[in-house]
Amino acid sequence: MKLMFLGTASGLPTHDRFSQTVVLEIDKTLHLIDVGDAASSLLAQSKLNHQSIRSIVVSHMHADHHAGLAQVLKTSMHLKKDSDLKIVLPSEGINAVVGFLEACYLPLEWLKYPVEMIPIGDEEIVIRDNLTMNAYPNTHLLGLKGRSFRRLDEMNWQFQSYSFVINAQGRRIVYSGNLRGKLAEIDELIDQNTILITEMAHLRIDEMLDVISQRKPKHVYITHFYPYLDMDDVKQKITDSSFGEAITLTWDGMVVEL
Ligand SMILES: [Zn+2]
Ligand SMILES: [Zn+2]
């Protein structure tokens, strides 16, 4: 099993970090966790086969987490993908995504591979044998609740963002998604068997290190970097901590064998 960080930027991509796209490769099948705008190109650049994609998870509807979805589906169609695809996303995104795909001349019926849209809910999500996940609502989008815009009443908007516990071939992977200031918001999901993938854009390294020191995850991969982050300060604080070897700052194209 491999974990691949194809894009490691926050919502502000740069010349050397593209928007967030994380890939889990299990038995030659690919599972995408968030699909930033460059996802299809990054898959091609890493010589990963679109036909092998079996699931795509969108943690919340901010564009940096799903803007690459339509192109991934289009490239997959051109490459004559015929295996089925599960797309797991916030329920409020389903009609909007289907409508956008139709506006892109990509109605689901034309794709020639079966697509199942799975709304995120309370139940365990079963992707395949040995790959299941549970979603945990977080407060990343809380600041948007109560704001109003023209179409809000029609759309039944929940402004819901999720963190995930992924069970992949016996490994416990916690994917923070985007949070709202504190890793402690999901600290109860983290234990000593956890491989933690956490965002950095909305968190402070000191608070993150506090949580890591208490929960002692097996390894931590930090991603979703904001370009104005003081990386030297982050690296120094990680080095100065007693568990720095358990923390990796990811980069675009990084591949980890799990
Ligand atoms: Zn984001
Ligand atoms: Zn966000």
Side-chain angles (χ1 to χ4, degrees), residues 13-43:
T14 62
H15 73 282
D16 60 353
R17 289 189 191 273
F18 291 179
S19 298
Q20 179 120 335
T21 303
V22 179
V23 180
L24 198 56
E25 184 186 76
I26 303 175
D27 298 335
K28 301 199 169 107
T29 64
L30 300 178
H31 305 273
L32 278 49
I33 309 168
D34 285 328
V35 269
D37 53 275
S40 182
S41 302
L42 291 169
L43 286 160

PDB file of all heavy atoms in Angstrom, residues 13-43:
ATOM      1  N   PRO A  13      -2.370  27.784  -4.363  1.00  0.00           N
ATOM      2  CA  PRO A  13      -1.261  27.023  -4.938  1.00  0.00           C
ATOM      3  C   PRO A  13      -0.101  27.929  -5.341  1.00  0.00           C
ATOM      4  O   PRO A  13      -0.279  29.122  -5.549  1.00  0.00           O
ATOM      5  CB  PRO A  13      -1.896  26.349  -6.161  1.00  0.00           C
ATOM      6  CG  PRO A  13      -3.109  27.152  -6.481  1.00  0.00           C
ATOM      7  CD  PRO A  13      -3.567  27.775  -5.199  1.00  0.00           C
ATOM      8  N   THR A  14       1.073  27.343  -5.440  1.00  0.00           N
ATOM      9  CA  THR A  14       2.275  28.104  -5.795  1.00  0.00           C
ATOM     10  C   THR A  14       3.015  27.365  -6.912  1.00  0.00           C
ATOM     11  O   THR A  14       2.562  26.320  -7.379  1.00  0.00           O
ATOM     12  CB  THR A  14       3.210  28.240  -4.577  1.00  0.00           C
ATOM     13  OG1 THR A  14       3.622  26.931  -4.170  1.00  0.00           O
ATOM     14  CG2 THR A  14       2.509  28.929  -3.419  1.00  0.00           C
ATOM     15  N   HIS A  15       4.189  27.879  -7.312  1.00  0.00           N
ATOM     16  CA  HIS A  15       4.917  27.242  -8.407  1.00  0.00           C
ATOM     17  C   HIS A  15       5.381  25.841  -8.026  1.00  0.00           C
ATOM     18  O   HIS A  15       5.545  24.988  -8.885  1.00  0.00           O
ATOM     19  CB  HIS A  15       6.113  28.096  -8.842  1.00  0.00           C
ATOM     20  CG  HIS A  15       7.249  28.066  -7.861  1.00  0.00           C
ATOM     21  ND1 HIS A  15       7.248  28.802  -6.691  1.00  0.00           N
ATOM     22  CD2 HIS A  15       8.406  27.375  -7.871  1.00  0.00           C
ATOM     23  CE1 HIS A  15       8.362  28.561  -6.033  1.00  0.00           C
ATOM     24  NE2 HIS A  15       9.085  27.699  -6.715  1.00  0.00           N
ATOM     25  N   ASP A  16       5.570  25.574  -6.732  1.00  0.00           N
ATOM     26  CA  ASP A  16       6.065  24.247  -6.355  1.00  0.00           C
ATOM     27  C   ASP A  16       5.100  23.465  -5.458  1.00  0.00           C
ATOM     28  O   ASP A  16       5.436  22.363  -5.014  1.00  0.00           O
ATOM     29  CB  ASP A  16       7.452  24.340  -5.707  1.00  0.00           C
ATOM     30  CG  ASP A  16       7.461  25.196  -4.445  1.00  0.00           C
ATOM     31  OD1 ASP A  16       6.420  25.820  -4.139  1.00  0.00           O
ATOM     32  OD2 ASP A  16       8.501  25.233  -3.771  1.00  0.00           O
ATOM     33  N   ARG A  17       3.948  24.017  -5.190  1.00  0.00           N
ATOM     34  CA  ARG A  17       2.911  23.238  -4.488  1.00  0.00           C
ATOM     35  C   ARG A  17       1.580  23.477  -5.177  1.00  0.00           C
ATOM     36  O   ARG A  17       1.107  24.617  -5.255  1.00  0.00           O
ATOM     37  CB  ARG A  17       2.785  23.669  -3.014  1.00  0.00           C
ATOM     38  CG  ARG A  17       3.950  23.250  -2.139  1.00  0.00           C
ATOM     39  CD  ARG A  17       3.624  23.520  -0.672  1.00  0.00           C
ATOM     40  NE  ARG A  17       4.798  23.367   0.155  1.00  0.00           N
ATOM     41  CZ  ARG A  17       5.213  22.213   0.686  1.00  0.00           C
ATOM     42  NH1 ARG A  17       4.537  21.098   0.455  1.00  0.00           N
ATOM     43  NH2 ARG A  17       6.296  22.161   1.432  1.00  0.00           N
ATOM     44  N   PHE A  18       0.964  22.397  -5.697  1.00  0.00           N
ATOM     45  CA  PHE A  18      -0.349  22.494  -6.319  1.00  0.00           C
ATOM     46  C   PHE A  18      -1.409  22.088  -5.285  1.00  0.00           C
ATOM     47  O   PHE A  18      -1.089  21.532  -4.233  1.00  0.00           O
ATOM     48  CB  PHE A  18      -0.413  21.593  -7.557  1.00  0.00           C
ATOM     49  CG  PHE A  18       0.440  22.074  -8.710  1.00  0.00           C
ATOM     50  CD1 PHE A  18       0.501  21.343  -9.892  1.00  0.00           C
ATOM     51  CD2 PHE A  18       1.179  23.247  -8.640  1.00  0.00           C
ATOM     52  CE1 PHE A  18       1.280  21.774 -10.964  1.00  0.00           C
ATOM     53  CE2 PHE A  18       1.961  23.684  -9.698  1.00  0.00           C
ATOM     54  CZ  PHE A  18       2.009  22.943 -10.871  1.00  0.00           C
ATOM     55  N   SER A  19      -2.674  22.329  -5.635  1.00  0.00           N
ATOM     56  CA  SER A  19      -3.761  22.113  -4.667  1.00  0.00           C
ATOM     57  C   SER A  19      -3.821  20.662  -4.202  1.00  0.00           C
ATOM     58  O   SER A  19      -3.377  19.748  -4.873  1.00  0.00           O
ATOM     59  CB  SER A  19      -5.105  22.505  -5.282  1.00  0.00           C
ATOM     60  OG  SER A  19      -5.100  23.865  -5.615  1.00  0.00           O
ATOM     61  N   GLN A  20      -4.430  20.483  -3.041  1.00  0.00           N
ATOM     62  CA  GLN A  20      -4.371  19.209  -2.330  1.00  0.00           C
ATOM     63  C   GLN A  20      -4.934  18.034  -3.133  1.00  0.00           C
ATOM     64  O   GLN A  20      -6.102  18.037  -3.534  1.00  0.00           O
ATOM     65  CB  GLN A  20      -5.160  19.338  -1.027  1.00  0.00           C
ATOM     66  CG  GLN A  20      -5.171  18.063  -0.221  1.00  0.00           C
ATOM     67  CD  GLN A  20      -4.547  18.259   1.142  1.00  0.00           C
ATOM     68  OE1 GLN A  20      -3.730  19.147   1.346  1.00  0.00           O
ATOM     69  NE2 GLN A  20      -4.924  17.433   2.071  1.00  0.00           N
ATOM     70  N   THR A  21      -4.128  17.030  -3.343  1.00  0.00           N
ATOM     71  CA  THR A  21      -4.575  15.748  -3.886  1.00  0.00           C
ATOM     72  C   THR A  21      -3.744  14.666  -3.211  1.00  0.00           C
ATOM     73  O   THR A  21      -2.523  14.641  -3.352  1.00  0.00           O
ATOM     74  CB  THR A  21      -4.374  15.683  -5.417  1.00  0.00           C
ATOM     75  OG1 THR A  21      -5.062  16.777  -6.034  1.00  0.00           O
ATOM     76  CG2 THR A  21      -4.909  14.366  -5.977  1.00  0.00           C
ATOM     77  N   VAL A  22      -4.414  13.799  -2.463  1.00  0.00           N
ATOM     78  CA  VAL A  22      -3.752  12.686  -1.777  1.00  0.00           C
ATOM     79  C   VAL A  22      -4.279  11.396  -2.401  1.00  0.00           C
ATOM     80  O   VAL A  22      -5.475  11.293  -2.689  1.00  0.00           O
ATOM     81  CB  VAL A  22      -4.055  12.716  -0.263  1.00  0.00           C
ATOM     82  CG1 VAL A  22      -3.394  11.536   0.444  1.00  0.00           C
ATOM     83  CG2 VAL A  22      -3.593  14.028   0.349  1.00  0.00           C
ATOM     84  N   VAL A  23      -3.392  10.445  -2.641  1.00  0.00           N
ATOM     85  CA  VAL A  23      -3.793   9.179  -3.276  1.00  0.00           C
ATOM     86  C   VAL A  23      -3.349   8.015  -2.407  1.00  0.00           C
ATOM     87  O   VAL A  23      -2.207   7.968  -1.945  1.00  0.00           O
ATOM     88  CB  VAL A  23      -3.156   9.029  -4.677  1.00  0.00           C
ATOM     89  CG1 VAL A  23      -3.599   7.705  -5.317  1.00  0.00           C
ATOM     90  CG2 VAL A  23      -3.527  10.201  -5.568  1.00  0.00           C
ATOM     91  N   LEU A  24      -4.272   7.085  -2.212  1.00  0.00           N
ATOM     92  CA  LEU A  24      -3.957   5.825  -1.535  1.00  0.00           C
ATOM     93  C   LEU A  24      -3.991   4.739  -2.608  1.00  0.00           C
ATOM     94  O   LEU A  24      -4.998   4.596  -3.314  1.00  0.00           O
ATOM     95  CB  LEU A  24      -5.030   5.583  -0.475  1.00  0.00           C
ATOM     96  CG  LEU A  24      -4.781   4.615   0.651  1.00  0.00           C
ATOM     97  CD1 LEU A  24      -3.521   4.959   1.425  1.00  0.00           C
ATOM     98  CD2 LEU A  24      -5.997   4.631   1.585  1.00  0.00           C
ATOM     99  N   GLU A  25      -2.895   4.035  -2.754  1.00  0.00           N
ATOM    100  CA  GLU A  25      -2.844   2.937  -3.737  1.00  0.00           C
ATOM    101  C   GLU A  25      -2.902   1.612  -2.975  1.00  0.00           C
ATOM    102  O   GLU A  25      -2.050   1.338  -2.128  1.00  0.00           O
ATOM    103  CB  GLU A  25      -1.563   2.995  -4.561  1.00  0.00           C
ATOM    104  CG  GLU A  25      -1.517   1.928  -5.647  1.00  0.00           C
ATOM    105  CD  GLU A  25      -0.177   1.896  -6.360  1.00  0.00           C
ATOM    106  OE1 GLU A  25       0.792   1.376  -5.766  1.00  0.00           O
ATOM    107  OE2 GLU A  25      -0.092   2.398  -7.489  1.00  0.00           O
ATOM    108  N   ILE A  26      -3.921   0.817  -3.274  1.00  0.00           N
ATOM    109  CA  ILE A  26      -4.100  -0.483  -2.621  1.00  0.00           C
ATOM    110  C   ILE A  26      -4.306  -1.529  -3.708  1.00  0.00           C
ATOM    111  O   ILE A  26      -5.257  -1.422  -4.495  1.00  0.00           O
ATOM    112  CB  ILE A  26      -5.329  -0.481  -1.683  1.00  0.00           C
ATOM    113  CG1 ILE A  26      -5.201   0.624  -0.625  1.00  0.00           C
ATOM    114  CG2 ILE A  26      -5.506  -1.832  -1.024  1.00  0.00           C
ATOM    115  CD1 ILE A  26      -6.412   0.759   0.260  1.00  0.00           C
ATOM    116  N   ASP A  27      -3.452  -2.523  -3.763  1.00  0.00           N
ATOM    117  CA  ASP A  27      -3.589  -3.604  -4.761  1.00  0.00           C
ATOM    118  C   ASP A  27      -3.848  -3.041  -6.157  1.00  0.00           C
ATOM    119  O   ASP A  27      -4.781  -3.453  -6.849  1.00  0.00           O
ATOM    120  CB  ASP A  27      -4.756  -4.536  -4.388  1.00  0.00           C
ATOM    121  CG  ASP A  27      -4.520  -5.212  -3.054  1.00  0.00           C
ATOM    122  OD1 ASP A  27      -3.350  -5.347  -2.659  1.00  0.00           O
ATOM    123  OD2 ASP A  27      -5.520  -5.590  -2.410  1.00  0.00           O
ATOM    124  N   LYS A  28      -3.079  -2.094  -6.567  1.00  0.00           N
ATOM    125  CA  LYS A  28      -3.178  -1.480  -7.900  1.00  0.00           C
ATOM    126  C   LYS A  28      -4.476  -0.698  -8.141  1.00  0.00           C
ATOM    127  O   LYS A  28      -4.780  -0.328  -9.275  1.00  0.00           O
ATOM    128  CB  LYS A  28      -2.996  -2.530  -8.996  1.00  0.00           C
ATOM    129  CG  LYS A  28      -1.642  -3.236  -8.907  1.00  0.00           C
ATOM    130  CD  LYS A  28      -1.288  -3.895 -10.221  1.00  0.00           C
ATOM    131  CE  LYS A  28       0.145  -4.359 -10.202  1.00  0.00           C
ATOM    132  NZ  LYS A  28       0.275  -5.809 -10.101  1.00  0.00           N
ATOM    133  N   THR A  29      -5.267  -0.475  -7.094  1.00  0.00           N
ATOM    134  CA  THR A  29      -6.408   0.439  -7.246  1.00  0.00           C
ATOM    135  C   THR A  29      -6.048   1.766  -6.577  1.00  0.00           C
ATOM    136  O   THR A  29      -5.281   1.796  -5.616  1.00  0.00           O
ATOM    137  CB  THR A  29      -7.698  -0.120  -6.610  1.00  0.00           C
ATOM    138  OG1 THR A  29      -7.509  -0.252  -5.193  1.00  0.00           O
ATOM    139  CG2 THR A  29      -8.069  -1.464  -7.216  1.00  0.00           C
ATOM    140  N   LEU A  30      -6.609   2.852  -7.116  1.00  0.00           N
ATOM    141  CA  LEU A  30      -6.289   4.189  -6.608  1.00  0.00           C
ATOM    142  C   LEU A  30      -7.516   4.802  -5.947  1.00  0.00           C
ATOM    143  O   LEU A  30      -8.640   4.687  -6.461  1.00  0.00           O
ATOM    144  CB  LEU A  30      -5.836   5.100  -7.749  1.00  0.00           C
ATOM    145  CG  LEU A  30      -4.596   4.653  -8.526  1.00  0.00           C
ATOM    146  CD1 LEU A  30      -4.305   5.649  -9.664  1.00  0.00           C
ATOM    147  CD2 LEU A  30      -3.382   4.532  -7.617  1.00  0.00           C
ATOM    148  N   HIS A  31      -7.272   5.464  -4.825  1.00  0.00           N
ATOM    149  CA  HIS A  31      -8.340   6.106  -4.059  1.00  0.00           C
ATOM    150  C   HIS A  31      -7.884   7.527  -3.757  1.00  0.00           C
ATOM    151  O   HIS A  31      -6.860   7.719  -3.096  1.00  0.00           O
ATOM    152  CB  HIS A  31      -8.619   5.298  -2.797  1.00  0.00           C
ATOM    153  CG  HIS A  31      -8.921   3.863  -3.134  1.00  0.00           C
ATOM    154  ND1 HIS A  31     -10.179   3.430  -3.450  1.00  0.00           N
ATOM    155  CD2 HIS A  31      -8.100   2.785  -3.288  1.00  0.00           C
ATOM    156  CE1 HIS A  31     -10.135   2.137  -3.774  1.00  0.00           C
ATOM    157  NE2 HIS A  31      -8.886   1.725  -3.683  1.00  0.00           N
ATOM    158  N   LEU A  32      -8.611   8.497  -4.288  1.00  0.00           N
ATOM    159  CA  LEU A  32      -8.205   9.897  -4.172  1.00  0.00           C
ATOM    160  C   LEU A  32      -8.904  10.538  -2.979  1.00  0.00           C
ATOM    161  O   LEU A  32     -10.124  10.385  -2.817  1.00  0.00           O
ATOM    162  CB  LEU A  32      -8.570  10.655  -5.451  1.00  0.00           C
ATOM    163  CG  LEU A  32      -7.604  10.554  -6.645  1.00  0.00           C
ATOM    164  CD1 LEU A  32      -7.220   9.128  -6.966  1.00  0.00           C
ATOM    165  CD2 LEU A  32      -8.189  11.246  -7.868  1.00  0.00           C
ATOM    166  N   ILE A  33      -8.144  11.236  -2.176  1.00  0.00           N
ATOM    167  CA  ILE A  33      -8.710  11.950  -1.041  1.00  0.00           C
ATOM    168  C   ILE A  33      -8.496  13.430  -1.300  1.00  0.00           C
ATOM    169  O   ILE A  33      -7.366  13.924  -1.278  1.00  0.00           O
ATOM    170  CB  ILE A  33      -8.025  11.527   0.278  1.00  0.00           C
ATOM    171  CG1 ILE A  33      -8.020   9.992   0.398  1.00  0.00           C
ATOM    172  CG2 ILE A  33      -8.751  12.152   1.472  1.00  0.00           C
ATOM    173  CD1 ILE A  33      -7.125   9.475   1.507  1.00  0.00           C
ATOM    174  N   ASP A  34      -9.564  14.115  -1.619  1.00  0.00           N
ATOM    175  CA  ASP A  34      -9.587  15.486  -2.123  1.00  0.00           C
ATOM    176  C   ASP A  34      -8.900  15.547  -3.495  1.00  0.00           C
ATOM    177  O   ASP A  34      -7.924  14.845  -3.757  1.00  0.00           O
ATOM    178  CB  ASP A  34      -8.975  16.482  -1.137  1.00  0.00           C
ATOM    179  CG  ASP A  34      -9.931  16.771   0.038  1.00  0.00           C
ATOM    180  OD1 ASP A  34     -11.157  16.735  -0.182  1.00  0.00           O
ATOM    181  OD2 ASP A  34      -9.450  17.025   1.165  1.00  0.00           O
ATOM    182  N   VAL A  35      -9.499  16.340  -4.362  1.00  0.00           N
ATOM    183  CA  VAL A  35      -9.020  16.439  -5.752  1.00  0.00           C
ATOM    184  C   VAL A  35      -8.863  17.906  -6.113  1.00  0.00           C
ATOM    185  O   VAL A  35      -9.790  18.540  -6.602  1.00  0.00           O
ATOM    186  CB  VAL A  35      -9.965  15.732  -6.756  1.00  0.00           C
ATOM    187  CG1 VAL A  35      -9.568  14.311  -6.973  1.00  0.00           C
ATOM    188  CG2 VAL A  35     -11.426  15.821  -6.332  1.00  0.00           C
ATOM    189  N   GLY A  36      -7.689  18.455  -5.844  1.00  0.00           N
ATOM    190  CA  GLY A  36      -7.383  19.838  -6.208  1.00  0.00           C
ATOM    191  C   GLY A  36      -7.424  20.018  -7.715  1.00  0.00           C
ATOM    192  O   GLY A  36      -7.510  19.050  -8.477  1.00  0.00           O
ATOM    193  N   ASP A  37      -7.348  21.283  -8.145  1.00  0.00           N
ATOM    194  CA  ASP A  37      -7.596  21.585  -9.566  1.00  0.00           C
ATOM    195  C   ASP A  37      -6.623  20.894 -10.512  1.00  0.00           C
ATOM    196  O   ASP A  37      -6.949  20.656 -11.669  1.00  0.00           O
ATOM    197  CB  ASP A  37      -7.566  23.104  -9.786  1.00  0.00           C
ATOM    198  CG  ASP A  37      -6.293  23.727  -9.248  1.00  0.00           C
ATOM    199  OD1 ASP A  37      -6.260  24.036  -8.044  1.00  0.00           O
ATOM    200  OD2 ASP A  37      -5.334  23.890 -10.017  1.00  0.00           O
ATOM    201  N   ALA A  38      -5.446  20.529 -10.055  1.00  0.00           N
ATOM    202  CA  ALA A  38      -4.456  19.908 -10.950  1.00  0.00           C
ATOM    203  C   ALA A  38      -4.467  18.385 -10.862  1.00  0.00           C
ATOM    204  O   ALA A  38      -3.589  17.725 -11.427  1.00  0.00           O
ATOM    205  CB  ALA A  38      -3.062  20.434 -10.619  1.00  0.00           C
ATOM    206  N   ALA A  39      -5.464  17.801 -10.222  1.00  0.00           N
ATOM    207  CA  ALA A  39      -5.406  16.367  -9.888  1.00  0.00           C
ATOM    208  C   ALA A  39      -5.151  15.474 -11.103  1.00  0.00           C
ATOM    209  O   ALA A  39      -4.295  14.581 -11.063  1.00  0.00           O
ATOM    210  CB  ALA A  39      -6.693  15.945  -9.178  1.00  0.00           C
ATOM    211  N   SER A  40      -5.881  15.707 -12.176  1.00  0.00           N
ATOM    212  CA  SER A  40      -5.727  14.823 -13.340  1.00  0.00           C
ATOM    213  C   SER A  40      -4.319  14.934 -13.924  1.00  0.00           C
ATOM    214  O   SER A  40      -3.683  13.930 -14.248  1.00  0.00           O
ATOM    215  CB  SER A  40      -6.775  15.178 -14.402  1.00  0.00           C
ATOM    216  OG  SER A  40      -6.670  14.304 -15.495  1.00  0.00           O
ATOM    217  N   SER A  41      -3.820  16.154 -14.044  1.00  0.00           N
ATOM    218  CA  SER A  41      -2.464  16.361 -14.569  1.00  0.00           C
ATOM    219  C   SER A  41      -1.419  15.746 -13.636  1.00  0.00           C
ATOM    220  O   SER A  41      -0.435  15.151 -14.093  1.00  0.00           O
ATOM    221  CB  SER A  41      -2.172  17.854 -14.723  1.00  0.00           C
ATOM    222  OG  SER A  41      -3.115  18.455 -15.577  1.00  0.00           O
ATOM    223  N   LEU A  42      -1.629  15.872 -12.339  1.00  0.00           N
ATOM    224  CA  LEU A  42      -0.663  15.314 -11.383  1.00  0.00           C
ATOM    225  C   LEU A  42      -0.670  13.788 -11.424  1.00  0.00           C
ATOM    226  O   LEU A  42       0.380  13.151 -11.281  1.00  0.00           O
ATOM    227  CB  LEU A  42      -0.972  15.813  -9.965  1.00  0.00           C
ATOM    228  CG  LEU A  42      -0.702  17.299  -9.727  1.00  0.00           C
ATOM    229  CD1 LEU A  42      -1.298  17.748  -8.400  1.00  0.00           C
ATOM    230  CD2 LEU A  42       0.796  17.590  -9.763  1.00  0.00           C
ATOM    231  N   LEU A  43      -1.836  13.186 -11.627  1.00  0.00           N
ATOM    232  CA  LEU A  43      -1.893  11.729 -11.792  1.00  0.00           C
ATOM    233  C   LEU A  43      -1.076  11.321 -13.012  1.00  0.00           C
ATOM    234  O   LEU A  43      -0.280  10.378 -12.969  1.00  0.00           O
ATOM    235  CB  LEU A  43      -3.343  11.269 -11.967  1.00  0.00           C
ATOM    236  CG  LEU A  43      -4.204  11.272 -10.701  1.00  0.00           C
ATOM    237  CD1 LEU A  43      -5.681  11.283 -11.067  1.00  0.00           C
ATOM    238  CD2 LEU A  43      -3.889  10.072  -9.825  1.00  0.00           C
TER     239      LEU A  43
END
